Amino acid sequence: MRRDLIRLAGAACLGIILAGGYTTYRIWSQGQRDEERPADAIVVMGAAQYNGRPSKVFAARLDHAVSLYLAGVAPRLVLTGGGAEGDRTTEAAAGRAFAIDLGVAPEDILIEEKSRTTLDSIRAVAGLLEANDLHSAIFVSDRPHMLRVLRMAADAGLTAWGSPTRTSPIEGDLAGQVDATVHELGALAYYFLTGGSS
């Protein structure tokens, strides 16, 4: 009996290692893929902002999204992200001001500014796209984030592709990349097991 339990525990550990290795590969593989193509909208996943100024991570996402917009990839820009308690503005509002400064027409910008998680953002974006008769979207975020974003978008019934930014601060930071990948492994596991987002 004890030997059987040890074998079972060993098999479970091996299964977890293999699943983690495969998911890590999928995170890396999706992050290397730029699926840029004509779409109805470009969706920027929110990140931190400081008193209306996008963080370096958020600014990198916005820079890339605006370059796609100005190149004519899509006619609408969708910005996501709420605010933390005490914030005087939201991620989406800060992103809107930043995008306008870079040349995006205000009337071409849609925002959702209530979400605090990736899943909340995806679900809100799905409703926003439907309400505005938009049927496809290019999602912009950092490389490690793209697999989870696109998985959730597919589950929400969206026609979605990914175009990760290549200028994020984590690009030249190995420790940052490892930390982001570990975070994504945990977030994906939580999503698949519970259907929620942390």
Side-chain angles (χ1 to χ4, degrees), residues 8 28 39 44 58 63 82 94-95 98 101 119 142 159 168 173 179 198:
L8 184 61
W28 177 85
V44 187
F58 195 17
D63 281 334
F98 188 90
D101 284 345
L119 184 58
D142 302 313
T159 300
S168 174
D173 178 8
D179 184 65
S198 56

Side-chain angles (χ1 to χ4, degrees), residues 45-46 80-82 112 115-126:
M45 301 306 295
T80 72
E112 79 74 22
S115 64
R116 295 298 301 154
T117 69
T118 297
L119 184 58
D120 288 344
S121 291
I122 296 294
R123 288 174 173 168
V125 165

Side-chain angles (χ1 to χ4, degrees), residues 71-112:
V73 172
R76 306 298 292 274
L77 196 63
V78 181
L79 306 175
T80 72
E85 186 175 345
D87 283 354
R88 67 178 181 85
T89 188
T90 63
E91 293 169 5
R96 182 179 187 276
F98 188 90
I100 290 170
D101 284 345
L102 292 179
V104 179
E107 63 270 20
D108 290 342
I109 300 175
L110 299 172
I111 65 172
E112 79 74 22

Side-chain angles (χ1 to χ4, degrees), residues 9-30:
C13 288
L14 180 60
I16 291 170
I17 291 169
L18 290 174
Y22 175 71
T23 305
T24 299
Y25 166 75
R26 291 280 291 114
I27 290 170
W28 177 85
S29 177
Q30 185 63 59

Side-chain angles (χ1 to χ4, degrees), residues 65-195:
V66 170
S67 71
L68 294 175
Y69 165 85
L70 294 176
V73 172
R76 306 298 292 274
L77 196 63
V78 181
L79 306 175
T80 72
E85 186 175 345
D87 283 354
R88 67 178 181 85
T89 188
T90 63
E91 293 169 5
R96 182 179 187 276
F98 188 90
I100 290 170
D101 284 345
L102 292 179
V104 179
E107 63 270 20
D108 290 342
I109 300 175
L110 299 172
I111 65 172
E112 79 74 22
E113 50 185 345
K114 294 184 179 178
S115 64
R116 295 298 301 154
T117 69
T118 297
L119 184 58
D120 288 344
S121 291
I122 296 294
R123 288 174 173 168
V125 165
L128 199 56
L129 294 178
E130 183 178 8
N132 286 274
D133 198 30
L134 303 172
H135 306 289
S136 61
I138 300 288
F139 280 79
V140 173
S141 191
D142 302 313
R143 293 183 202 257
H145 196 202
M146 292 309 311
L147 180 65
R148 181 158 58 108
V149 167
L150 294 176
R151 177 70 265 170
M152 290 178 172
D155 290 346
L158 297 175
T159 300
W161 302 281
S163 183
T165 178
R166 299 177 186 276
T167 59
S168 174
I170 71 169
E171 286 292 307
D173 178 8
L174 180 58
Q177 291 179 37
V178 171
D179 184 65
T181 300
V182 170
H183 173 78
E184 288 304 315
L185 285 169
L188 281 163
Y190 186 82
Y191 175 65
F192 287 133
L193 289 172
T194 70

